[in-house]
Amino acid sequence: MMRDERLWMALGWIVLALAPWWLPWLGGYSALGTKVLVYGLGVMALNLLLGFAGGLSFGHAAYFGLGAYGAGMTLKYLAPSTPLALLAGTVVGGLAATAFGPLVMRRRGIYFAMITIAIGQLLYFVAVRWNEFTGGEDGLAGFSRQPLHFGGWVLDIRDENKYYYVVLVCFTVAAWIMRGVLRSPLGHTWVAIRENRRRAEFLGVRADLYIWAAFAISGTFMALAGALNALLFNFTSPQDLHWILSGDFVIMIVLGGMRNFWGPLLGALIYIVAQDYLSSVTDNWMTFIGLLFMVIVLAFPRGILGLLRRRGKAAA
């Protein structure tokens, strides 16, 4: 079973590595593949908190947006450096998630979700009102990703195919780190808290501190995804902080399977490809997304990846 899983993993990485070549044959384009990786990274980050630690956040788009604004403002106001922009965006969002963590770590269930929405909307309205720096409702423009310099060699990531590989490298490193965290005692403690918080606390586990850690780590990787997204479109707006985007992230996780590490990536793939295709066919594309979500929730509560794994075990 382990050998089969490694085979599928290797096949998956090969498919991702060759995406700029096979996507056009299917009517796609490199930017679409990049967006799937960016959103896949974001929802995998949120899944650390939702799927493994048991904390339902409807405000995680706030850290996605902070990462985007951090990267965009760095390029526009500080220095034309892509690495610096990515670092700044990640740090800004990560620090914000760490700072707001104590406000949510002792809350449970609906109260946890509501406080995350409140924080997210607070940051959203700051972005809307701070016109001089954020561009207000019109969004932040006037910046663009810059070529990467490696000594005498220059990688011009203004080309969409080359930027795809930059995002793929960031995604790979982030996924490797998140996988390592989940396999560590920290990750196992998150799962214990998710399964039975009261029992974990009875054993001496400071559940609130572990939830804080999950919130901070999740927010940091979400901010990285936001920074990559801002550089993909050379634009960001307050909508990148709105709770509606947070709801979209949760939908992607549920579609793919929140109890699986790679489930959110599959959910992001399905959601974004469906959105790209259906929005070109009808203005009511959200209706079809909603119907798909209802079918998955009612018929396959463990998500599509959970269904595939269950069938694989039955076949074996």
Side-chain angles (χ1 to χ4, degrees), residues 51-69:
F52 293 97
L56 176 57
S57 173
F58 275 111
H60 247 53
Y63 312 108
F64 184 87
L66 285 176
Y69 273 102

Side-chain angles (χ1 to χ4, degrees), residues 20-221:
W21 279 270
W22 58 260
L23 270 173
W25 289 91
L26 299 179
Y29 46 97
S30 295
L32 180 64
T34 305
K35 186 177 180 180
V36 170
L37 287 180
V38 168
Y39 276 68
L41 171 58
V43 294
M44 287 169 66
L46 175 56
N47 199 44
L48 294 178
L49 178 65
L50 173 59
F52 293 97
L56 176 57
S57 173
F58 275 111
H60 247 53
Y63 312 108
F64 184 87
L66 285 176
Y69 273 102
M73 288 181 175
T74 298
L75 286 171
K76 185 171 183 176
Y77 300 124
L78 295 181
S81 171
T82 295
L84 180 61
L86 292 176
L87 177 62
T90 304
V91 170
V92 168
L95 288 178
T98 304
F100 286 120
L103 298 179
V104 302
M105 65 184 186
R106 292 186 176 86
R107 306 295 184 269
R108 303 185 188 183
I110 189 62
Y111 302 104
F112 186 100
M114 293 302 293
I115 193 67
T116 58
I117 292 177
I119 293 171
Q121 289 305 100
L122 171 66
L123 296 174
Y124 167 80
F125 284 111
V126 169
V128 169
R129 298 297 182 185
W130 204 1
N131 294 319
E132 309 86 63
F133 292 99
T134 66
E137 293 183 354
D138 294 330
L140 182 69
F143 65 90
S144 62
R145 56 184 183 268
Q146 299 298 308
L148 299 176
H149 297 269
F150 302 94
W153 181 57
V154 178
L155 178 64
D156 190 359
I157 60 173
R158 288 173 294 187
D159 178 80
E160 288 188 354
N161 288 342
K162 293 176 181 178
Y163 185 62
Y164 171 85
Y165 285 107
V166 171
V167 174
L168 179 60
V169 169
C170 293
F171 174 85
T172 302
V173 173
W176 178 75
I177 295 173
M178 286 190 283
R179 188 83 165 181
V181 169
L182 289 176
R183 290 178 173 177
S184 70
L186 176 61
H188 292 305
T189 304
W190 287 343
V191 173
I193 293 171
R194 180 196 71 193
E195 293 299 319
N196 196 319
R197 180 166 180 160
R198 181 172 296 180
R199 181 175 295 178
E201 290 175 336
F202 181 78
L203 295 174
V205 174
R206 288 289 304 275
D208 53 348
L209 296 182
Y210 281 95
I211 295 297
W212 185 6
F215 196 85
I217 294 172
S218 175
T220 300
F221 284 112

